[in-house]
Each structure stands twice: as structure tokens, then as C-alpha cells.
Amino acid sequence: MKNNVEKNTTEKILVLDFGGQYNQLIARRVREQHVYAEIKPYNKISADEIRSVGYKGIIFTGGPNSVYDESSPHYDPEILELGIPILGICYGVQLMAYMAEGEICSAENSSEYGKTLVYTEKNVLFRDVPEESVCWMSHTDFVKTPPVGFNVIAHTEKCPCAAMCDESRKLYGVQFHPEVTHTVYGKQMLRNFLFEICSCAGEWKMENFVENSIEKYRSKLAGKRVLLALSGGVDSSVAAVLLHKAIGQNLTCVFVDHGLLRKDEGDFVEQTFRSQFGMNLIRVNAQDRFLNKLSGVTEPERKRKIIGEEFIRVFEDEAKKLGKMDVLVQGTIYPDVVESGNGDSAVIKSHHNVGGLPDVISFDEIVEPFRELFKDEVREAGTQLGIPHELVWRQPFPGPGLAVRVIGEITKEKLDILREADAIFREEIAKAGLEGTTNQYFAVLTDLRSVGVMGDARTYGYTIALRAVTTDDFMTAEWTRLPYEVLERASSRITNEVGGITRVVYDITSKPPATVEWE
Ligand code: XMP
């Protein structure tokens, strides 16, 4: 029997966010176990609301503060009385102890950071976990005396209470981070919490999500005219195929080719969606409009703004030609939702996505089919929908495209040079079978010219930088240690086959301090 969407989402875990850096990781770890998890900032949901949603369990995240700090996040102690199992992690366990009147110790010399041996007692949270194992610690404060009713169930050399529980009330807490892979048995502990303590059934499955979404949109959008901005990236591509399966030709996809795409990319997108999937696709060739607007502009943020705005203008013009459309589809994913709910972090780069569109064109409704999904879940949905592997597993490509990879002023000539060099680099990585070992790799056309020699003649051409990074989340990244032979072949082919380049360099900066893109 098929689950319907409501059933899929009834079994929910709440990740109550106290400002920890791992909030999304915790939710992903829970979902990997086929249990749906959602993140809520601690100050956006009350104990009463938690009760009414009917969560199967709650996880308190870590956070950067000390519970004795007046301004640190606190919570209504009533939450401990709701009868819902709770697992507190790091700051979460300290907060739990504090709320139940235990004692927290705050001392610099008690800090633990990094891999630490933890000794666990016999307890349902540690079922199938050895008595001694490695965990990941990152704390200064710790629970010195657990509250009345709680027992210590783990310790480390420095931390007398590395885990505690009140089994009768199903309240558990760990000082270490089970969500981080360095905690060797972390996954097992989370499984124990979900299945043994919260009695979850593990019904959150992607095939159900896909089938249910198709059915849902088929009835919800019946007879409506639906518009989708297709970029060729993973999220909008998977959304397009899903909606196409649901409503067929009532879906119109508009693909704005801003002329800042990689070699042959525009044709690939057109061919895949129009010929292969038979979609109603409009390709707008707007290269000249974008190049005109970008003429003479060198400042990175200005470039991004111009492209974002022009994208909206072009899309708007196209939408007007189509007459009244009822619904706009957006490829918003869960991290966008979470980050916009919490976020007051500094803007490093203004990311260009199609998120601002509804302000300028009016639609009766906006549909965001992946609002609840993480990126890897969208890819999984794409696979379930039969989208070719090379599309679902495409490396990320920034909205402003090659504009942020041509340093300085953008011209057609520079874009063409970059496209050729980038294609060669990607081809060499593919030939060496390295596509799966680096997460993003591309060429950048620097604004630097240097002297070279070819035959007997002096040359004076551009410097191409090659960049390849290894990362889980793109928030931090390591430069990839590509084999010298691959770099050598790429360099030699680029200088030989692409006119106007005299020099090739490899970027060996990680993020931080650099970012992945150069602009
Ligand atoms: P940075 O350069 O910020 O990039 O370290 C992190 C990841 O984000 C991609 N990126 C973008 N993606 N719109 C996007 O959709 C953008 O404006 C944008 N800028 C950077 C970048 O390619 C990398 O994967």
C-alpha cells in the first residue's frame, strides 16, 4: 500500500536549534534513517505548539553559549514534561540539565576538543556500542551534577558526565556530537534514539515522496497554467521533470540563456528537456542583453546584481508574452528555508537564484516541491524520476555563470577563451576517471597577462587558473590534490589548443580563507 504525503510526514522528529553549527547535519543524519526531521529555531516554536504537532522525538542541538550567560538561548522547562523523548547534544545536554536544576561546570581547563575516548555504560542509547569508543568533543562547559532522576551513563577522562539519562521520562543527553562522523558509533546511537527510544518506524522514503508529489500536483494543479524557470541546475531540472510527470504540457519551462554558460551547455539543456523529456520549453537567447549590461563592469558584487536583475527582466518579458500564468514553480530547497528562518549572518556573496521573481510578476500561487528536501535528497528524487546520471550528479554551477570566473571586465572574446579552457580541463578530469573524487572543478580566466614563447616568437596572453575542490557542503572546502599528470595534460592542451593563453596555474587555496569561486 502506498503511503500518502500526510502519513509520510506524520512521523517527525523536531531538531530544536540553539544556534549550533551542526543543526542541518543532525536533521540529515535523522533522515538518513528514513525518519523525517525538521529544524526550528528555539525561539520560533513554543512547548504548546510542539505538543500539538505530535513529534515522535526532539533533539536539542548544540550552541555556542554557556547556559549561565544571561543572553544565551533558554527554553520553557515544560518541554521536559511533554512526555516526548528528548536527546540533548552538547549545549543541548547542558541546557537540559540546567532546566532540571542540575549543575553545570564552566572552566577553561576542562575543555575538550577533537577525538576523545568515551566510556559508556549499559543503556538503550548505547545498544550495540562498545564500552570504549571514539567520540567527537567540542566544549568548555559540562554537566557536573546531573539533575535529580538522571543517571550518568558515559564519561571521558576529563568529563565526568559525557552522557546522562532519565529513562523513565525518556530524557537523554550527550556532551559529544553523535552526528559527526568522527564519533565512530554516532550513527548507531542516533538509531537507538530514533527506533528504540522514540519508537519510530522509518517510513520516510524517497520513492514515496516522488510518487506522492506527482499525485499531489496532478490534482492540485489540474487545469492550471504553470511556469518554471529552468536553469539546467539540479534543483530546477528535477522540479521540471517532476511537474512534467504530474501535469504534462500544462507546464511551460523558460530557460534563459544568458550567454554565461559553459561550452555547449545551452544546447545540452535544450536537447535534454525538449527532445528527451518532450517538455514545453522556451529557450531565450539573451546573450547580447546580458553582455551589454555587463559592459565595462569589473566589480564582482555589481556583476552579480546586474545579472540577477537582468535575469528577472528577461523572465518577466517572456512571461508577459505567455499571457496569464497561474502558478510559478521554484526550486527552493530545505537549507534555503532554514537559513532564511535563522539567518543574520554576513553576506559574503549575493547568490543569484530565481527566488525574487514573484515580486515582479503576479501569480496566484507558488509551488516549491523541494522545500522539505536537502540537496542530496533532491538528487535521489531525480534518480527515482529517471533523470540521467550526468544531470543529477552535475557539479554545482553558480547562477551568474562564467561571469564570476572571468575576472575583470567580461567580453565575448574572454568568455569564449574561458569556455574552451574549461571544457578541456573537465574533459581531462573525466578521462582520468576523477569526476567522483573532486566535488567541483573549473577554469578561471584571470585578468593577468604574462609573457610566453611559442616557436621562436614572443607571446603575451592571459593566465588561466584551474580550481578543483573537495567538500561535503561547500561551506568549507579543501583544494583537491589532483595528480600532476592530469594537471600537466590539461595545461599543455590548454596552451596548445586555446588561442590567447600563455600560462596555466593551479589554485591551492582552501576555503576559508578563499571562497570556491574567485568572485
Ligand atoms: P563560494 O564561492 O561562495 O561558493 O565558496 C560555494 C558554492 O556556491 C556556488 N555559488 C553559487 N551558486 N548562485 C548559486 O546558485 C550563486 O550566485 C553562487 N555563487 C557561488 C559555488 O559554485 C560553490 O559551489
Side-chain angles (χ1 to χ4, degrees), residues 111-117 134-139 176 182-183:
S111 303
E112 283 176 305
Y113 183 79
K115 290 184 184 173
T116 310
L117 274 180
V134 171
C135 72
W136 182 259
M137 282 287 199
S138 171
H139 70 106
F176 50 86
H182 303 304
T183 298

Side-chain angles (χ1 to χ4, degrees), residues 135-185:
C135 72
W136 182 259
M137 282 287 199
S138 171
H139 70 106
T140 301
D141 295 2
F142 63 86
V143 178
K144 190 171 173 206
T145 319
V148 175
F150 282 77
N151 295 318
V152 173
I153 52 171
H155 69 277
T156 67
E157 201 179 315
K158 275 190 166 177
C159 182
C161 176
M164 65 175 201
C165 78
D166 176 343
E167 257 177 83
S168 63
R169 292 198 291 166
K170 299 198 173 182
L171 302 177
Y172 293 78
V174 289
Q175 183 53 66
F176 50 86
H177 288 271
E179 72 278 19
V180 172
T181 49
H182 303 304
T183 298
V184 180
Y185 288 88

Side-chain angles (χ1 to χ4, degrees), residues 304 348-353 396-400 404-405 440 442 473-475 511 514-519:
R304 284 172 173 270
I348 308 292
K349 294 177 186 182
S350 34
H351 275 207
H352 148 90
N353 287 320
F397 186 63
V404 293
R405 296 180 182 170
Q440 196 174 4
F442 52 88
D473 54 13
F474 294 91
M475 301 212 278
K511 173 184 180 177
T515 51
V516 175
E517 303 289 348
W518 275 38
E519 284 194 342

Side-chain angles (χ1 to χ4, degrees), residues 325-343:
M325 301 298 279
D326 306 303
V327 181
L328 176 75
V329 183
Q330 297 205 119
T332 316
I333 61 172
Y334 197 51
D336 305 331
V337 176
V338 172
E339 277 151 30
S340 57
N342 294 348

Side-chain angles (χ1 to χ4, degrees), residues 353-473:
N353 287 320
V354 285
L357 290 175
D359 293 345
V360 290
I361 318 167
S362 75
F363 293 91
D364 298 339
E365 202 181 332
I366 289 167
V367 160
E368 296 174 315
F370 305 137
R371 246 186 107 72
E372 295 173 342
L373 301 192
F374 285 110
K375 189 87 178 180
D376 44 356
E377 293 172 324
V378 175
R379 291 192 206 274
E380 210 185 318
T383 307
Q384 295 282 343
L385 284 160
I387 303 178
H389 184 270
E390 70 268 24
L391 221 163
V392 170
W393 287 99
R394 299 191 103 184
Q395 54 164 318
F397 186 63
L402 299 184
V404 293
R405 296 180 182 170
V406 168
I407 311 305
E409 189 184 358
I410 299 163
T411 63
K412 171 133 189 359
E413 180 219 359
K414 282 171 149 183
L415 284 168
D416 286 340
I417 291 177
L418 176 59
R419 266 192 271 268
E420 291 304 321
D422 182 68
I424 291 173
F425 184 43
R426 287 186 291 124
E427 212 175 288
E428 288 304 324
I429 297 257
K431 272 203 256 167
L434 293 171
E435 281 166 313
T437 62
T438 172
N439 302 95
Q440 196 174 4
Y441 46 98
F442 52 88
V444 176
L445 185 70
T446 74
D447 212 17
L448 180 77
R449 289 187 190 228
S450 73
V451 174
V453 53
M454 237 182 198
D456 290 325
R458 175 188 191 274
T459 54
Y460 186 58
Y462 285 109
T463 305
I464 278 279
L466 302 179
R467 177 98 166 122
V469 294
T470 308
T471 172
D472 275 340
D473 54 13

Side-chain angles (χ1 to χ4, degrees), residues 1-4 7-8 203 207-208 211-212 215:
M1 199 188 89
K2 272 186 237 157
N3 293 321
N4 60 30
K7 174 133 193 272
N8 247 335
E203 289 172 339
E207 66 239 47
N208 297 340
E211 278 179 31
N212 296 331
E215 275 171 34

Side-chain angles (χ1 to χ4, degrees), residues 242-254:
L242 185 122
L243 267 296
H244 179 65
K245 292 221 168 170
I247 59 166
Q249 296 305 309
N250 282 347
L251 172 73
T252 303
C253 296
V254 172

